[in-house]
Amino acid sequence: MKDADADLGEDEDRIFLSNMPGLMAGLAASTRRDLVLAWKRPGDVLNPLFFFVMVLILFPLALGPSAEQLQAIGPGVVWVAALLAMLISLNSLFSADYEDGSLEQWLVSPQPLPVLALGKSVAHWMTSGLPLVLLSPLLAATYGLPAKVIVVLLVTLSLGTIILSLLGSIGAALTVGLHRGTALLSLLVLPLAMPVLLLGSNSVSLAAGNETHTAGVWALAAYATAAISLAPYATAAALRISNE
Amino acid sequence: MWTWFHKLASPPHFYRLAKALSPWFLVPGLALIAYGTFTGLFIAPPDYQQGDAYRIIYVHVPSAYLSQMAYTVMAIAGGIGLIWRMKLSHAVAAAVAPLGAWFTFLSLATGSIWGRPMWGTWWEWGDPRMMSQLILLFLYLGYMALRASIDDTAKADKASAVLALVGVINLVIVRYSVEWWSSLHQGQTILAEGGPAIDAEMLYPLLANILGFALVFGSLLLRRVRTEVLYRERRTRWVREMILSPQGQT
């Protein structure tokens, strides 16, 4: 390897660099790869989704079918179920890549690691966040939430799941390769996720009570923006540490 | 200035320095706590509204301050360790976490004991500070759990430092979101906010206790860092020489 490097003149360096795919290409490649993997193994995507649906079925079973009560707890329950389902899907975020060594290829690749990590999070959101968001109106309707509230639920859940994907990727990167990873991951991610849950489900509750709910939605949007910009760096740092 | 900095970072030097400094924190700290607690409990007048129940602030407020100061120390030490790869700094972060968790628990417990006669409940969900402290406690627990589950010390140091830094940002978000949340559910927090200005006779013991707690915390931290350094450097020559020296441990 070393000799080959020494032989590269400046011209070849330039050619090498100009042939390198750009940032967007790196982002797209890392996203596409995970989407393809998810497509080939649909169980990984569907299981958290089934879990989400089943948690939402448990509450009416446990609390009784009183329509009033279900309507009151609906926003919170949907949010908690979504949070837990996201948490379940996070376990496997980096583990397969860690085991087969593709994570190490990431570390040595000339693409910036945060960009690749962001691509991973985008794919994770599309395979676990987005299906939850799309499914939630149906389930919220069974809880008797009115259409206007469901719109707020959709918006907050979309923003919230983006944040959870990104925060979760930090936790998953920190715990990758550890034996007790699963329980530890929840312990790390849940405190980080609490403000998201609080902002999201309370905005929906406020909307259900016909009060101004925009403050929480904007706060979530701000948080999502910050998470998209900053979390990949933390994930990248954590990945480097975990792979030492 | 830099040589001083480098010298401070050297484990054997710090080990000796910490030993020398520790009593200078401990003795004034204990003296201040003794003064503050005695005056606070027996001499300061009872509150016209809360009676004697307010006296728990002499433990509660210092612990709450320290719980947050400890997290700041932990995050800054972790950050320094990550950026300048200073091993000692990681030892400080490792040593401060359990102390911080303990003070957080103490502030929650004393707050809850105070809340029972004042608010009529052990736990008030609507109080933003209780929620923030609870989340802070979980952050400490997660931090310690992450440290405990990574066998390689160097790796555990860096991973937990990343977590501590992420936690700092999270704490800011927690603070504001919890405040917004609690403003929705008007709780029984009337007493907490905008109460009568605190009387000097009540204030001085409180200040003494805050400073005293901080000094004792500093002394405990120095002790813990010494133990941590000793453990981490257990295979080095200076530790062996120190232990095998005729005077025993110095």
Side-chain angles (χ1 to χ4, degrees):
Chain A
M1 252 333 258
K2 262 197 174 153
D3 293 337
D5 276 352
D7 287 339
L8 279 176
E10 262 185 42
D11 288 341
E12 278 122 297
D13 264 356
R14 206 168 295 130
I15 292 165
F16 174 69
L17 285 178
S18 64
N19 283 340
M20 204 180 89
L23 287 184
M24 289 318 284
L27 181 70
S30 121
T31 309
R32 195 181 321 115
R33 170 180 174 274
D34 271 32
L35 288 180
V36 171
L37 278 175
W39 183 254
K40 300 282 179 194
R41 267 184 314 191
D44 290 2
V45 176
L46 291 177
N47 289 348
L49 216 54
F50 287 139
F51 175 82
F52 176 65
V53 175
M54 274 189 277
V55 169
L56 286 176
I57 292 171
L58 289 180
F59 277 88
L61 287 180
L63 299 174
S66 145
E68 238 170 72
Q69 196 180 20
L70 288 182
Q71 205 170 356
I73 61 165
V77 169
V78 175
W79 254 95
V80 170
L83 174 61
L84 295 178
M86 289 294 283
L87 205 60
I88 285 189
S89 66
L90 279 172
N91 277 325
S92 52
L93 188 60
F94 291 113
S95 56
D97 291 346
Y98 177 77
E99 276 154 24
D100 68 12
S102 35
L103 212 51
E104 283 176 13
Q105 297 302 315
W106 272 30
L107 297 185
V108 296
S109 99
Q111 289 284 349
L113 195 52
V115 171
L116 298 176
L118 180 61
K120 189 110 186 153
S121 292
V122 171
H124 176 256
W125 180 74
M126 286 171 76
T127 51
S128 53
L130 194 58
L132 290 184
V133 173
L134 295 179
L135 206 58
S136 62
L138 196 68
L139 291 155
T142 64
Y143 274 71
L145 295 182
K148 199 186 63 174
V149 178
I150 291 180
V151 173
V152 181
L153 181 72
L154 266 176
V155 174
T156 54
L157 261 188
S158 320
L159 292 168
T161 45
I162 291 174
I163 303 169
L164 293 176
S165 267
L166 288 156
L167 287 181
S169 78
I170 303 175
L174 283 172
T175 53
V176 67
L178 296 181
H179 306 299
R180 284 166 287 173
T182 317
L184 186 62
L185 181 63
S186 327
L187 196 55
L188 298 188
V189 175
L190 281 177
L192 300 179
M194 277 176 199
V196 183
L197 175 74
L198 194 150
L199 289 169
S201 75
N202 280 292
S203 299
V204 183
S205 297
L206 283 179
N210 276 324
E211 290 174 72
T212 23
H213 55 267
T214 40
V217 179
W218 285 118
L220 271 181
Y223 195 176
T225 319
I228 292 171
S229 348
L230 297 176
Y233 289 95
T235 307
L239 281 177
R240 282 195 200 285
I241 293 162
S242 297
N243 275 279
E244 260 170 20
Chain B
M1 195 257 164
W2 283 110
T3 49
W4 171 83
F5 192 65
H6 281 292
K7 208 175 168 193
L8 183 70
S10 122
H13 181 258
F14 181 84
Y15 186 80
R16 274 176 229 115
L17 185 71
K19 188 188 166 92
L21 279 180
S22 183
W24 292 98
F25 282 82
L26 187 65
V27 175
L30 287 179
L32 278 170
I33 292 178
Y35 160 76
T37 309
F38 181 77
T39 4
L41 292 188
F42 299 105
I43 296 179
D47 188 80
Y48 82 99
Q49 219 173 4
Q50 306 184 14
D52 283 328
Y54 87 94
R55 291 182 200 274
I56 204 163
I57 61 164
Y58 294 113
V59 181
H60 177 70
V61 175
S63 340
Y65 272 129
L66 280 179
S67 66
Q68 289 171 5
M69 195 171 90
Y71 198 92
T72 318
V73 170
M74 190 171 92
I76 292 176
I80 291 176
L82 269 189
I83 297 165
W84 288 290
R85 296 167 191 258
M86 198 166 149
K87 277 197 238 159
L88 181 70
S89 170
H90 283 307
V92 172
V96 79
L99 282 177
W102 174 245
F103 279 115
T104 314
F105 173 76
L106 207 59
S107 77
L108 277 170
T110 50
S112 157
I113 293 169
W114 177 84
R116 180 66 199 145
M118 286 299 120
W119 295 343
T121 168
W122 292 106
W123 187 261
E124 170 56 46
W125 283 106
D127 186 56
R129 275 164 304 182
M130 277 183 129
M131 279 315 289
S132 325
Q133 285 296 93
L134 189 62
I135 295 179
L136 180 66
L137 183 62
F138 288 142
L139 280 176
Y140 274 122
L141 295 180
Y143 179 90
M144 290 194 287
L146 181 66
R147 244 182 203 293
S149 50
I150 306 179
D151 297 328
D152 178 7
T153 316
K155 207 164 147 180
D157 283 340
K158 289 184 213 154
S160 53
V162 170
L163 183 68
L165 290 173
V166 173
V168 170
I169 299 172
N170 185 57
L171 278 175
V172 177
I173 298 168
V174 165
R175 199 190 167 82
Y176 288 105
S177 58
V178 164
E179 258 169 37
W180 171 76
W181 172 65
S182 63
S183 68
L184 306 176
H185 314 263
Q186 264 307 326
Q188 300 140 303
T189 50
I190 316 119
L191 285 173
E193 302 272 348
I198 189 165
D199 190 75
E201 266 181 281
M202 299 178 186
L203 181 64
Y204 289 136
L206 180 61
L207 290 179
N209 258 13
I210 291 174
L211 191 60
F213 267 59
L215 287 171
V216 170
F217 165 80
S219 156
L220 287 174
L221 180 59
L222 285 173
R223 280 190 94 84
R224 288 188 56 87
V225 177
R226 286 183 77 214
T227 324
E228 187 74 31
V229 165
L230 201 58
Y231 179 71
R232 287 171 176 230
E233 302 275 313
R234 62 192 180 279
R235 291 190 228 287
T236 58
R237 207 165 58 179
W238 71 269
V239 171
R240 190 165 311 160
E241 276 171 4
M242 184 183 71
I243 288 168
L244 295 179
S245 70
Q247 306 94 302
Q249 295 163 358
T250 45

